[in-house]
Amino acid sequence: MDLKHKNLFTAKAVQHGLGRKNTGKLQSLWIELPPFCNLACTYCYACGGEKRDRDNLLNREDYLNILNQAKQLGVDSIGIPGAGEPFIHANFELTMWILHECAARDIYVTLFTTGEFITRELADELFELPVEIMLKGNSLDPEVQDRFVSNPDRAIHGYGVARNRAIEILMAAGFNDPSAAQKHGRQSRMALVTSIMTDEKEGGLSNIEEVAQIYRFCRDRNIIADIDTILKRGRALECGLSSGDRNVLQMLMTLRRIAIEEYGDADTVLSSTYVETVCDRFHHHLYVDVSGRIRPCIGAMDVDLGNIRSTTLSKAWESRERQIIRERRYSGTCASCANFQEHKCHSCLGRRTPASGEKSLTNESLLRDGCVHTTGCMLYRK
């Protein structure tokens, strides 16, 4: 089936959970799995693969508590981020159990995975569940992809080939088939996930020249192109792959031009969070890490809304800190930007707030100042 140039639905093919009406209610939730991972990505926000206190990890009773509360509050979208690899042996049974529990509650799951452990049998089983698969996609070149998941002390070999095989397996199973995705209200049920990255050193590791190719690869195959910039958390703070604003802006403008000129998407927005759309989780979202701590989102890891073992999602949602965020009480550069004022952007709690100091995003700063302090981005418009 030739999918190129076809707008199959009015909604963009983006992560499930985005593009929500502001109802004032919790609508989406992300929950972490244990951080077991066999890769060595220098840019991992969650420091995946590093040793943790296993006694403090969420157990099945905790996950059931989370899912039951989420369902009662009206949540219909749950994300499982790449804090740990879902299908590695240590996580596999827990992952499948959670997916089936979500299916029993009519909750759709956005699941991030390296793809390395996906077989045709597993793909067929996943296809019957309400889930979309978000594959790591830093590069389509297997050797370059291997370099992105390695570090100076540990070289990874063969992953890029396995990931490319997973792309073919998922397509063969029908995850990019629009007619199969339509019953879930989706345009596609698979994605390639990458950040625009380039080494600070000349001639270093980079995917700048390949991002447009990845985007076209996805669009031509009805695959979600989940392209963003590095979230400077965890190991990503010192990875050296965060591209400068000028490079990012040029790439974002290139991708928007491709969307308009080659795929007829005249309404494609220019966003510093996701290509083709903006992040609106500020008004409908919570994040629960693997120890049970509740955060406003993946980027606001220094804002603690309590632990799911001793509080509830409802109390976290109604907390003063969360109210300030969802009411868009922002100050600084983003607040004065026309894009923010016109609701074409909602700033980013992880990328557009001070990294340190008294104005960094914490419980203390929110309660003291009653606002989110922001730094702005390359798309600032007076």
Side-chain angles (χ1 to χ4, degrees):
M1 179 179 181
D2 183 11
L3 298 169
K4 191 172 183 178
H5 302 300
K6 292 187 178 180
N7 292 315
L8 301 166
F9 296 90
T10 56
K12 296 286 186 182
V14 297
Q15 289 181 31
H16 189 265
L18 292 175
R20 296 296 179 110
K21 291 182 179 180
N22 192 344
T23 65
K25 297 180 180 180
L26 180 65
Q27 301 176 58
S28 69
L29 181 73
W30 280 21
I31 52 176
E32 287 186 352
L33 294 175
F36 303 116
C37 186
N38 59 310
L39 301 182
C41 307
T42 60
Y43 52 88
C44 181
Y45 82 96
C47 299
E50 297 181 13
K51 292 183 178 180
R52 302 283 183 89
D53 180 5
R54 295 191 183 188
D55 294 334
N56 197 36
L57 300 178
L58 295 173
N59 57 41
R60 292 199 181 194
E61 183 178 347
D62 295 323
Y63 284 113
L64 272 182
N65 178 32
I66 294 169
L67 295 180
N68 287 335
Q69 287 189 43
K71 181 63 178 179
Q72 186 175 13
L73 292 171
V75 171
D76 64 1
S77 177
I78 281 183
I80 298 178
E85 167 51 39
F87 299 122
I88 200 170
H89 179 74
N91 277 339
F92 184 83
E93 288 188 6
L94 175 62
T95 297
M96 298 307 296
W97 175 79
I98 290 175
L99 293 180
H100 281 279
E101 291 293 335
C102 287
R105 291 164 178 77
D106 197 26
I107 296 175
Y108 192 86
V109 180
T110 298
L111 185 144
F112 292 77
T113 173
T114 68
E116 181 173 1
F117 304 103
I118 292 179
T119 63
R120 182 56 193 263
E121 292 74 22
L122 177 57
D124 289 341
E125 182 176 358
L126 293 171
F127 188 77
E128 300 304 319
L129 295 168
V131 61
E132 61 188 16
I133 307 298
M134 316 291 282
L135 289 172
K136 182 182 291 293
N138 311 118
S139 172
L140 295 172
D141 183 312
E143 293 185 4
V144 176
Q145 179 61 82
D146 284 351
R147 291 178 62 197
F148 270 113
V149 298
S150 301
N151 67 39
D153 299 321
R154 183 175 167 222
I156 302 294
H157 301 288
Y159 166 67
V161 171
R163 194 283 321 280
N164 284 357
R165 181 171 61 245
I167 295 174
E168 297 300 323
I169 289 173
L170 291 173
M171 289 195 298
F175 277 86
N176 67 327
D177 184 343
S179 60
Q182 190 172 18
K183 71 175 184 178
H184 297 285
R186 305 293 290 139
Q187 178 173 325
S188 178
R189 292 175 57 195
M190 64 179 291
L192 285 185
V193 183
T194 192
S195 294
I196 302 170
M197 296 188 286
T198 188
D199 200 304
E200 295 169 346
K201 302 183 292 294
E202 185 176 352
L205 183 61
S206 174
N207 67 358
I208 285 286
E209 300 301 323
E210 195 182 353
V211 171
Q213 178 189 351
I214 294 172
Y215 181 72
R216 289 187 176 100
F217 178 91
C218 291
R219 291 299 303 261
D220 290 348
R221 293 161 179 80
N222 196 41
I223 296 173
I224 299 167
D226 195 79
I227 301 172
D228 59 12
T229 55
I230 284 181
L231 180 64
K232 292 185 178 181
R233 296 290 185 269
R235 292 199 294 264
L237 284 170
E238 299 179 356
C239 70
L241 290 171
S242 184
S243 185
D245 283 355
R246 183 177 180 181
N247 285 335
V248 171
L249 179 57
Q250 289 179 341
M251 181 52 59
L252 292 175
M253 293 177 67
T254 296
L255 296 179
R256 183 173 183 268
R257 177 185 57 77
I258 292 172
I260 294 172
E261 295 181 1
E262 299 182 23
Y263 296 95
D265 292 340
D267 61 340
T268 297
V269 299
L270 192 62
S271 167
S272 64
T273 49
Y274 295 110
V275 170
E276 297 188 4
T277 190
V278 297
C279 180
D280 59 4
R281 293 191 179 96
F282 78 96
H283 72 71
H284 61 74
H285 182 78
L286 286 175
Y287 187 104
V288 184
D289 74 13
V290 73
S291 298
R293 294 170 296 183
I294 308 171
R295 314 296 192 190
C297 76
I298 194 173
M301 290 303 184
D302 293 324
V303 179
D304 192 337
L305 304 180
N307 194 292
I308 195 64
R309 295 185 176 112
S310 57
T311 190
T312 64
L313 293 176
S314 180
K315 288 181 179 179
W317 180 247
E318 296 300 335
S319 66
R320 182 59 183 153
E321 295 94 327
R322 196 61 185 84
Q323 288 182 38
I324 291 170
I325 292 170
R326 73 172 185 259
E327 290 171 3
R328 294 175 101 240
R329 297 188 181 186
Y330 287 27
S331 69
T333 307
C334 290
S336 66
C337 178
N339 294 320
F340 183 83
Q341 294 174 4
E342 296 169 6
H343 289 257
K344 295 177 179 178
C345 176
H346 305 297
S347 191
C348 176
L349 299 181
R351 296 175 175 87
R352 307 305 169 195
T353 56
S356 60
E358 65 175 11
K359 290 188 176 182
S360 62
L361 188 61
T362 62
N363 293 70
E364 181 182 4
S365 69
L366 286 170
L367 296 176
R368 180 190 66 228
D369 303 328
C371 66
V372 176
H373 297 287
T374 64
T375 59
C377 76
M378 76 293 293
L379 297 179
Y380 179 81
R381 185 164 61 92
K382 292 183 179 180

